[in-house]
Amino acid sequence: MASSRFLLLILIIISGYIFISNYTYTRGKIARANGQHLYLKSAVCGFFLFSTSYLLKHLYSDSIAYQYTLNLFASVFEEETDRLTHTAILSLTLSLYLLILLQLPVYWVEPLIKSRLIDSVLLRLRKKHKNKTINYLIRKIDVLWATFQYLSLSYVKWLQKKALGGNPVDELLLQLMSGDGGAIMTCDEHGKVFIGFVLRMPDPVLPPEERVVSIAPIMSGSMCKEFQQLHITTDYTDAFYTYHNKILDHQNIEDIAALVFTKRIKILRRFDIELFDNFFKRKVCACGHDIYLPRPHRQNVPIATSK
């Protein structure tokens, strides 16, 4: 009897841990939690899944949908386990189903929308069929698909923002990466400066000392130690000009990324490219050095844009 109760407790904790460690909203918080908090949160989530599974079993145990979905895996052990242990196995299955349902927009819907596969299929169908009834149905499907895209992308953005846990650095990076697409300027503890566009957010699961932000650099330089003026030493737009079409392809853009450790960032701010010329009108810093050192052969190349 004691062993069955121990097995019941372990199954409840495992079902909760599977969910909270993989769901985008909670996985970052779980990665930063200590051992005792992890057990407690897993147990709370597992108890909620266990209670929901018990309720579903009590209400829909005779339905075909229940037998071929929630009870499909647990039915194998139904004769060898007691009622509570069987319900705990149901909670494991329920945690997997909920993860698939809630994480589907994160991993599958957004790439599907960006590929525009369904949009091209609907466009071909509208051109191919001239029947009014069929065209009416296609338009209705098109409206439903557009609504689904909007709701899915809104859910993904909300989920990503909530997963940051109110971290102002991560919230600024997310806003620049998925919002207006502006450039950022990072300055580390040694005064090294990178200016560019955010390509990838820091992984919240990694320890703080291993978290990095991926940047497509436009320029780099350093901060004047005496007067805290920005000195630009490298202009990447000139170096990337000869093959910028390949770089702008999303498949190759990670090849030119600069990885900046978030723990070493001392200053993080927006960098307004439109004010770039006004910023360098002074030409010389108060320390006597040129503010802008490189002398590029080409200017205004397409890589120095938010797109």
Side-chain angles (χ1 to χ4, degrees):
M1 178 67 81
S3 60
S4 63
R5 293 293 178 263
F6 180 74
L7 177 62
L8 173 65
L9 180 61
I10 291 298
L11 289 174
I12 291 175
I13 293 177
I14 290 176
S15 63
Y17 176 76
I18 289 175
F19 183 82
I20 63 176
S21 62
N22 291 279
Y23 184 38
T24 302
Y25 184 86
T26 55
R27 63 193 295 262
K29 300 176 183 178
I30 291 304
R32 297 187 290 269
N34 57 35
Q36 294 179 347
H37 286 171
L38 180 60
Y39 287 132
L40 180 60
K41 292 178 179 179
S42 299
V44 171
C45 181
F47 180 76
F48 172 78
L49 294 170
F50 177 82
S51 303
T52 305
S53 301
Y54 184 86
L55 182 63
L56 293 174
K57 179 181 178 181
H58 178 72
L59 296 176
Y60 305 106
S61 59
D62 296 331
S63 66
I64 298 177
Y66 168 83
Q67 294 296 333
Y68 286 94
T69 53
L70 190 61
N71 196 43
L72 184 63
F73 175 73
S75 61
V76 179
F77 307 96
E78 191 168 6
E79 296 181 357
E80 302 175 2
T81 57
D82 56 54
R83 185 174 61 179
L84 292 179
T85 306
H86 178 262
T87 306
I89 298 175
L90 289 178
S91 66
L92 282 171
T93 308
L94 180 62
S95 67
L96 294 176
Y97 285 160
L98 285 177
L99 277 175
I100 293 173
L101 178 64
L102 296 174
Q103 292 292 100
L104 184 65
V106 178
Y107 294 113
W108 293 101
V109 174
E110 191 170 2
L112 183 62
I113 292 173
K114 290 182 178 180
S115 68
R116 305 190 66 84
L117 176 62
I118 296 180
D119 296 283
S120 61
V121 171
L122 292 174
L123 181 61
R124 289 179 183 178
L125 289 175
R126 283 198 299 269
K127 292 181 178 180
K128 183 178 180 180
H129 298 282
K130 303 300 182 182
N131 186 279
K132 291 184 178 181
T133 304
I134 296 178
N135 278 328
Y136 175 78
L137 293 175
I138 294 174
R139 286 196 299 270
K140 288 296 183 183
I141 295 174
D142 200 2
V143 171
L144 291 175
W145 171 238
T147 304
F148 176 74
Q149 291 182 72
Y150 173 77
L151 294 177
S152 298
L153 292 177
S154 299
Y155 168 73
V156 171
K157 290 181 179 180
W158 173 84
L159 193 62
Q160 290 175 340
K161 184 176 181 180
K162 288 295 183 182
L164 300 178
N167 188 317
V169 174
D170 290 343
E171 287 185 355
L172 176 60
L173 294 175
L174 179 63
Q175 183 180 1
L176 292 172
M177 186 177 70
S178 60
D180 53 16
I184 64 166
M185 184 187 82
T186 66
C187 179
D188 64 16
E189 53 194 3
H190 301 294
K192 179 63 178 177
V193 173
F194 277 104
I195 299 171
F197 301 104
V198 181
L199 296 179
R200 193 180 298 276
M201 292 282 296
D203 189 348
V205 176
L206 294 176
E209 61 273 7
E210 297 181 12
R211 300 178 65 197
V212 295
V213 54
S214 180
I215 300 174
I218 303 172
M219 295 172 286
S220 66
S222 61
M223 295 292 289
C224 174
K225 294 182 179 180
E226 185 176 359
F227 297 97
Q228 293 298 301
Q229 295 284 340
L230 174 60
H231 294 181
I232 298 298
T233 57
T234 306
D235 190 325
Y236 294 95
T237 59
D238 187 57
F240 296 150
Y241 178 78
T242 56
Y243 57 102
H244 72 267
N245 287 329
K246 294 181 180 179
I247 293 176
L248 290 176
D249 182 1
H250 189 69
Q251 296 178 352
N252 301 315
I253 200 167
E254 291 286 352
D255 295 341
I256 55 99
L259 301 180
V260 181
F261 286 89
T262 56
K263 191 174 182 180
R264 297 180 181 177
I265 294 177
K266 184 178 179 181
I267 300 174
L268 177 67
R269 55 162 296 175
R270 294 173 179 266
F271 188 84
D272 194 341
I273 298 177
E274 295 180 357
L275 298 178
F276 180 81
D277 292 334
N278 294 329
F279 178 78
F280 289 104
K281 279 182 178 179
R282 293 170 306 192
K283 297 187 180 292
V284 180
C285 176
C287 65
H289 292 86
D290 290 342
I291 292 178
Y292 187 81
L293 296 179
R295 295 292 181 268
H297 301 290
R298 294 166 286 268
Q299 292 290 345
N300 299 322
V301 295
I303 194 172
T305 66
S306 61
K307 297 181 180 179

